[in-house]
Amino acid sequence: MSDVDFGAVVPKALTGERGALDLLARACVRLALRVARAHRLADADAWDVGQDTWIALAARLATVREPARLPGWLVTTARRCVLRVLAGRRREVLCLPPDRPDGSPGPEAEALAAERGRVFWALAGRLPARHRRLLRLLAERPELTQAQLAAELGVAPGSVGPLRRRCFDRMRRLLTEAGWDPRAP
């Protein structure tokens, strides 16, 4: 900003001198862009801040009493514009796409889920019978208690936890060997 003498440019801009207005606009937007980029705004948002800062200055140019202090006012105005942009992002409410108002998954998500299920159950087929039965019960009847699972599997209630851990460990190894990340959603 040292290349612009606001004390000399502002009075000329007030008289409507085109060169002075252009110089003032460029200096204002350049300063506002620096402030916006310091806050890591994207280019489009940074340019919006520059434009809003220039509009604020243009609206108040006639009321400027101390042109030498204008850079400080511009920085403050640009920061306030940045804060409005950032606050607007926080208030964004994501909604469902118009073609799926009920929140059901789209065809891509359904296809991926079907493929994951196919691979999972194909790999589960390589587990011992008791482990396969446990996985089916957990997937199809998640409401079962530990005692009910034990009764369905024909084991003692205290055996369900260790059985589940061994089953999950084996399944995790099979998924990893097949190239799937077991922690992925």
Side-chain angles (χ1 to χ4, degrees), residues 7-35:
V9 173
V10 170
K12 290 179 183 177
L14 284 170
T15 64
E17 185 178 313
R18 186 74 185 157
L21 281 170
D22 289 345
L23 181 63
L24 191 59
R26 280 194 304 275
C28 171
V29 171
R30 200 168 43 238
L31 180 61
L33 286 172
R34 283 190 202 139
V35 171

mmCIF file of all heavy atoms in Angstrom, residues 7-35:
data_model
loop_
_atom_site.group_PDB
_atom_site.id
_atom_site.type_symbol
_atom_site.label_atom_id
_atom_site.label_comp_id
_atom_site.label_asym_id
_atom_site.label_seq_id
_atom_site.Cartn_x
_atom_site.Cartn_y
_atom_site.Cartn_z
ATOM 1 N N GLY A 7 -3.787 10.380 0.851
ATOM 2 C CA GLY A 7 -4.041 11.799 1.106
ATOM 3 C C GLY A 7 -4.188 12.597 -0.179
ATOM 4 O O GLY A 7 -4.944 13.565 -0.244
ATOM 5 N N ALA A 8 -3.501 12.184 -1.234
ATOM 6 C CA ALA A 8 -3.588 12.886 -2.510
ATOM 7 C C ALA A 8 -4.660 12.289 -3.421
ATOM 8 O O ALA A 8 -5.298 13.002 -4.191
ATOM 9 C CB ALA A 8 -2.233 12.851 -3.215
ATOM 10 N N VAL A 9 -4.876 10.985 -3.333
ATOM 11 C CA VAL A 9 -5.788 10.303 -4.245
ATOM 12 C C VAL A 9 -7.258 10.522 -3.874
ATOM 13 O O VAL A 9 -8.100 10.750 -4.747
ATOM 14 C CB VAL A 9 -5.465 8.786 -4.301
ATOM 15 C CG1 VAL A 9 -6.504 8.026 -5.097
ATOM 16 C CG2 VAL A 9 -4.088 8.560 -4.887
ATOM 17 N N VAL A 10 -7.577 10.498 -2.578
ATOM 18 C CA VAL A 10 -8.969 10.601 -2.159
ATOM 19 C C VAL A 10 -9.605 11.918 -2.600
ATOM 20 O O VAL A 10 -10.712 11.906 -3.160
ATOM 21 C CB VAL A 10 -9.110 10.360 -0.641
ATOM 22 C CG1 VAL A 10 -10.513 10.706 -0.151
ATOM 23 C CG2 VAL A 10 -8.784 8.903 -0.305
ATOM 24 N N PRO A 11 -8.964 13.086 -2.381
ATOM 25 C CA PRO A 11 -9.603 14.339 -2.840
ATOM 26 C C PRO A 11 -9.846 14.351 -4.357
ATOM 27 O O PRO A 11 -10.894 14.829 -4.810
ATOM 28 C CB PRO A 11 -8.609 15.425 -2.428
ATOM 29 C CG PRO A 11 -7.812 14.827 -1.322
ATOM 30 C CD PRO A 11 -7.749 13.366 -1.605
ATOM 31 N N LYS A 12 -8.897 13.803 -5.127
ATOM 32 C CA LYS A 12 -9.086 13.747 -6.583
ATOM 33 C C LYS A 12 -10.237 12.818 -6.946
ATOM 34 O O LYS A 12 -11.015 13.105 -7.859
ATOM 35 C CB LYS A 12 -7.801 13.290 -7.275
ATOM 36 C CG LYS A 12 -6.687 14.308 -7.216
ATOM 37 C CD LYS A 12 -5.451 13.758 -7.897
ATOM 38 C CE LYS A 12 -4.291 14.733 -7.778
ATOM 39 N NZ LYS A 12 -3.071 14.184 -8.365
ATOM 40 N N ALA A 13 -10.338 11.693 -6.240
ATOM 41 C CA ALA A 13 -11.420 10.745 -6.496
ATOM 42 C C ALA A 13 -12.773 11.377 -6.172
ATOM 43 O O ALA A 13 -13.760 11.130 -6.858
ATOM 44 C CB ALA A 13 -11.218 9.470 -5.683
ATOM 45 N N LEU A 14 -12.801 12.214 -5.132
ATOM 46 C CA LEU A 14 -14.050 12.892 -4.759
ATOM 47 C C LEU A 14 -14.528 13.859 -5.837
ATOM 48 O O LEU A 14 -15.724 14.095 -5.968
ATOM 49 C CB LEU A 14 -13.886 13.621 -3.430
ATOM 50 C CG LEU A 14 -13.902 12.725 -2.186
ATOM 51 C CD1 LEU A 14 -13.485 13.509 -0.952
ATOM 52 C CD2 LEU A 14 -15.263 12.098 -1.996
ATOM 53 N N THR A 15 -13.597 14.393 -6.607
ATOM 54 C CA THR A 15 -13.978 15.294 -7.695
ATOM 55 C C THR A 15 -14.403 14.508 -8.929
ATOM 56 O O THR A 15 -14.845 15.105 -9.906
ATOM 57 C CB THR A 15 -12.811 16.235 -8.071
ATOM 58 O OG1 THR A 15 -11.733 15.458 -8.577
ATOM 59 C CG2 THR A 15 -12.389 17.080 -6.885
ATOM 60 N N GLY A 16 -14.254 13.189 -8.876
ATOM 61 C CA GLY A 16 -14.686 12.352 -9.994
ATOM 62 C C GLY A 16 -13.589 12.071 -11.000
ATOM 63 O O GLY A 16 -13.863 11.533 -12.079
ATOM 64 N N GLU A 17 -12.348 12.402 -10.687
ATOM 65 C CA GLU A 17 -11.238 12.154 -11.610
ATOM 66 C C GLU A 17 -11.110 10.644 -11.829
ATOM 67 O O GLU A 17 -10.897 9.877 -10.891
ATOM 68 C CB GLU A 17 -9.941 12.732 -11.054
ATOM 69 C CG GLU A 17 -8.792 12.615 -12.027
ATOM 70 C CD GLU A 17 -7.521 13.238 -11.457
ATOM 71 O OE1 GLU A 17 -7.579 14.352 -10.926
ATOM 72 O OE2 GLU A 17 -6.490 12.550 -11.550
ATOM 73 N N ARG A 18 -11.236 10.221 -13.054
ATOM 74 C CA ARG A 18 -11.280 8.803 -13.408
ATOM 75 C C ARG A 18 -10.003 8.058 -13.003
ATOM 76 O O ARG A 18 -10.062 6.958 -12.458
ATOM 77 C CB ARG A 18 -11.509 8.676 -14.922
ATOM 78 C CG ARG A 18 -11.702 7.284 -15.377
ATOM 79 C CD ARG A 18 -13.071 6.821 -14.963
ATOM 80 N NE ARG A 18 -13.218 5.420 -15.303
ATOM 81 C CZ ARG A 18 -14.070 4.631 -14.723
ATOM 82 N NH1 ARG A 18 -14.864 5.084 -13.816
ATOM 83 N NH2 ARG A 18 -14.147 3.377 -15.061
ATOM 84 N N GLY A 19 -8.853 8.612 -13.250
ATOM 85 C CA GLY A 19 -7.590 7.955 -12.910
ATOM 86 C C GLY A 19 -7.463 7.745 -11.407
ATOM 87 O O GLY A 19 -6.983 6.698 -10.951
ATOM 88 N N ALA A 20 -7.897 8.732 -10.637
ATOM 89 C CA ALA A 20 -7.831 8.617 -9.178
ATOM 90 C C ALA A 20 -8.796 7.542 -8.683
ATOM 91 O O ALA A 20 -8.463 6.761 -7.777
ATOM 92 C CB ALA A 20 -8.142 9.961 -8.528
ATOM 93 N N LEU A 21 -9.985 7.479 -9.257
ATOM 94 C CA LEU A 21 -10.952 6.437 -8.865
ATOM 95 C C LEU A 21 -10.424 5.046 -9.192
ATOM 96 O O LEU A 21 -10.554 4.117 -8.397
ATOM 97 C CB LEU A 21 -12.287 6.667 -9.569
ATOM 98 C CG LEU A 21 -13.193 7.737 -8.969
ATOM 99 C CD1 LEU A 21 -14.363 8.021 -9.894
ATOM 100 C CD2 LEU A 21 -13.687 7.306 -7.605
ATOM 101 N N ASP A 22 -9.819 4.902 -10.367
ATOM 102 C CA ASP A 22 -9.254 3.608 -10.756
ATOM 103 C C ASP A 22 -8.135 3.189 -9.806
ATOM 104 O O ASP A 22 -8.070 2.035 -9.375
ATOM 105 C CB ASP A 22 -8.725 3.650 -12.188
ATOM 106 C CG ASP A 22 -9.844 3.720 -13.222
ATOM 107 O OD1 ASP A 22 -11.004 3.454 -12.853
ATOM 108 O OD2 ASP A 22 -9.549 4.048 -14.388
ATOM 109 N N LEU A 23 -7.246 4.149 -9.503
ATOM 110 C CA LEU A 23 -6.140 3.869 -8.592
ATOM 111 C C LEU A 23 -6.655 3.491 -7.209
ATOM 112 O O LEU A 23 -6.182 2.524 -6.596
ATOM 113 C CB LEU A 23 -5.199 5.078 -8.502
ATOM 114 C CG LEU A 23 -3.978 4.928 -7.604
ATOM 115 C CD1 LEU A 23 -3.068 3.820 -8.131
ATOM 116 C CD2 LEU A 23 -3.218 6.238 -7.531
ATOM 117 N N LEU A 24 -7.651 4.194 -6.730
ATOM 118 C CA LEU A 24 -8.237 3.912 -5.423
ATOM 119 C C LEU A 24 -8.912 2.537 -5.413
ATOM 120 O O LEU A 24 -8.760 1.770 -4.461
ATOM 121 C CB LEU A 24 -9.250 5.011 -5.065
ATOM 122 C CG LEU A 24 -9.773 5.026 -3.642
ATOM 123 C CD1 LEU A 24 -8.629 5.174 -2.653
ATOM 124 C CD2 LEU A 24 -10.751 6.171 -3.468
ATOM 125 N N ALA A 25 -9.630 2.235 -6.475
ATOM 126 C CA ALA A 25 -10.302 0.925 -6.563
ATOM 127 C C ALA A 25 -9.285 -0.211 -6.571
ATOM 128 O O ALA A 25 -9.444 -1.210 -5.854
ATOM 129 C CB ALA A 25 -11.172 0.867 -7.816
ATOM 130 N N ARG A 26 -8.226 -0.070 -7.368
ATOM 131 C CA ARG A 26 -7.194 -1.125 -7.426
ATOM 132 C C ARG A 26 -6.522 -1.301 -6.069
ATOM 133 O O ARG A 26 -6.310 -2.425 -5.617
ATOM 134 C CB ARG A 26 -6.157 -0.810 -8.498
ATOM 135 C CG ARG A 26 -6.596 -1.163 -9.905
ATOM 136 C CD ARG A 26 -5.442 -1.156 -10.893
ATOM 137 N NE ARG A 26 -4.719 0.107 -10.926
ATOM 138 C CZ ARG A 26 -5.078 1.167 -11.664
ATOM 139 N NH1 ARG A 26 -6.159 1.104 -12.411
ATOM 140 N NH2 ARG A 26 -4.372 2.273 -11.638
ATOM 141 N N ALA A 27 -6.187 -0.188 -5.418
ATOM 142 C CA ALA A 27 -5.523 -0.266 -4.109
ATOM 143 C C ALA A 27 -6.445 -0.912 -3.078
ATOM 144 O O ALA A 27 -6.014 -1.748 -2.274
ATOM 145 C CB ALA A 27 -5.109 1.131 -3.655
ATOM 146 N N CYS A 28 -7.714 -0.547 -3.110
ATOM 147 C CA CYS A 28 -8.688 -1.097 -2.167
ATOM 148 C C CYS A 28 -8.847 -2.598 -2.362
ATOM 149 O O CYS A 28 -8.774 -3.376 -1.408
ATOM 150 C CB CYS A 28 -10.025 -0.369 -2.344
ATOM 151 S SG CYS A 28 -11.368 -1.104 -1.427
ATOM 152 N N VAL A 29 -9.050 -3.016 -3.596
ATOM 153 C CA VAL A 29 -9.267 -4.438 -3.880
ATOM 154 C C VAL A 29 -7.999 -5.237 -3.583
ATOM 155 O O VAL A 29 -8.063 -6.333 -3.021
ATOM 156 C CB VAL A 29 -9.741 -4.644 -5.336
ATOM 157 C CG1 VAL A 29 -9.755 -6.109 -5.711
ATOM 158 C CG2 VAL A 29 -11.127 -4.036 -5.516
ATOM 159 N N ARG A 30 -6.830 -4.691 -3.921
ATOM 160 C CA ARG A 30 -5.569 -5.379 -3.651
ATOM 161 C C ARG A 30 -5.400 -5.632 -2.148
ATOM 162 O O ARG A 30 -5.054 -6.740 -1.724
ATOM 163 C CB ARG A 30 -4.415 -4.539 -4.210
ATOM 164 C CG ARG A 30 -3.154 -5.307 -4.441
ATOM 165 C CD ARG A 30 -2.099 -4.552 -5.249
ATOM 166 N NE ARG A 30 -1.937 -3.169 -4.875
ATOM 167 C CZ ARG A 30 -2.099 -2.125 -5.703
ATOM 168 N NH1 ARG A 30 -2.416 -2.331 -6.964
ATOM 169 N NH2 ARG A 30 -1.923 -0.895 -5.298
ATOM 170 N N LEU A 31 -5.714 -4.619 -1.338
ATOM 171 C CA LEU A 31 -5.603 -4.761 0.112
ATOM 172 C C LEU A 31 -6.625 -5.770 0.639
ATOM 173 O O LEU A 31 -6.299 -6.624 1.466
ATOM 174 C CB LEU A 31 -5.807 -3.394 0.787
ATOM 175 C CG LEU A 31 -5.715 -3.385 2.310
ATOM 176 C CD1 LEU A 31 -4.326 -3.842 2.745
ATOM 177 C CD2 LEU A 31 -6.000 -2.002 2.845
ATOM 178 N N ALA A 32 -7.847 -5.701 0.127
ATOM 179 C CA ALA A 32 -8.887 -6.635 0.569
ATOM 180 C C ALA A 32 -8.536 -8.073 0.182
ATOM 181 O O ALA A 32 -8.789 -9.003 0.952
ATOM 182 C CB ALA A 32 -10.236 -6.230 -0.020
ATOM 183 N N LEU A 33 -7.940 -8.260 -0.996
ATOM 184 C CA LEU A 33 -7.525 -9.604 -1.409
ATOM 185 C C LEU A 33 -6.456 -10.164 -0.477
ATOM 186 O O LEU A 33 -6.474 -11.355 -0.146
ATOM 187 C CB LEU A 33 -7.017 -9.599 -2.852
ATOM 188 C CG LEU A 33 -8.079 -9.482 -3.938
ATOM 189 C CD1 LEU A 33 -7.425 -9.295 -5.306
ATOM 190 C CD2 LEU A 33 -8.988 -10.694 -3.938
ATOM 191 N N ARG A 34 -5.534 -9.311 -0.061
ATOM 192 C CA ARG A 34 -4.501 -9.772 0.886
ATOM 193 C C ARG A 34 -5.133 -10.243 2.183
ATOM 194 O O ARG A 34 -4.757 -11.281 2.735
ATOM 195 C CB ARG A 34 -3.506 -8.647 1.179
ATOM 196 C CG ARG A 34 -2.518 -8.421 0.092
ATOM 197 C CD ARG A 34 -1.427 -7.469 0.553
ATOM 198 N NE ARG A 34 -0.816 -6.873 -0.613
ATOM 199 C CZ ARG A 34 -0.461 -5.621 -0.728
ATOM 200 N NH1 ARG A 34 -0.647 -4.784 0.276
ATOM 201 N NH2 ARG A 34 0.091 -5.171 -1.826
ATOM 202 N N VAL A 35 -6.088 -9.469 2.678
ATOM 203 C CA VAL A 35 -6.761 -9.837 3.925
ATOM 204 C C VAL A 35 -7.522 -11.149 3.735
ATOM 205 O O VAL A 35 -7.436 -12.056 4.567
ATOM 206 C CB VAL A 35 -7.718 -8.707 4.383
ATOM 207 C CG1 VAL A 35 -8.589 -9.166 5.542
ATOM 208 C CG2 VAL A 35 -6.931 -7.460 4.757
#
